[in-house]
Amino acid sequence: LEAGILDRVTIHPQRFDAVAPFAADVVTARACAPLDDLLGYAAPFIGETGRCVFLKGKGVEEELTAAETHWTMRLARRESLSDPAGAVLVIDQLKRRKR
């Protein structure tokens, strides 16, 4: 709010399943679900050019391993300032693996 971006951002402060899918530039979540599930929830919203920014805790490695069995993605990992054992994951080029 203090960043002066309110005229460029729409916040949907409700459960994802209550919002009809649309192409968003960024989907973010914290403490919502395991990464594998979270990617499934986000996929209908990010389209071809969107990205996900997810704050994950100490189980981030296990969540990434589980998610990579179902998804391909480009991943950038950032240090979490609030949880030294966690990470901020920036994900784009998300595609579900063929079964």
Side-chain angles (χ1 to χ4, degrees):
L1 303 178
E2 293 180 16
I5 60 172
L6 284 181
D7 60 333
R8 297 175 291 165
V9 173
T10 302
I11 298 172
H12 299 272
Q14 59 202 79
R15 292 181 51 91
F16 74 92
D17 53 2
V19 178
F22 60 92
D25 295 324
V26 177
V27 172
T28 187
R30 180 188 169 282
C32 178
L35 183 60
D36 192 26
D37 295 337
L38 197 52
L39 293 172
Y41 302 150
F45 293 94
I46 61 168
E48 293 292 317
T49 60
R51 68 180 46 179
C52 302
V53 178
F54 298 138
L55 289 74
K56 301 306 290 179
K58 66 182 177 181
V60 65
E61 290 303 323
E62 292 83 9
E63 290 191 41
L64 279 166
T65 298
E68 289 173 344
T69 65
H70 298 116
W71 301 94
T72 63
M73 68 193 89
R74 184 170 64 175
L75 171 71
R77 181 191 307 238
R78 307 280 192 262
E79 179 182 347
S80 171
L81 299 179
S82 62
D83 182 356
V88 178
L89 305 179
V90 181
I91 297 169
D92 62 6
Q93 299 180 12
L94 180 66
K95 302 252 188 291
R96 188 178 293 274
R97 290 188 186 274
K98 303 231 189 284
R99 296 176 198 228

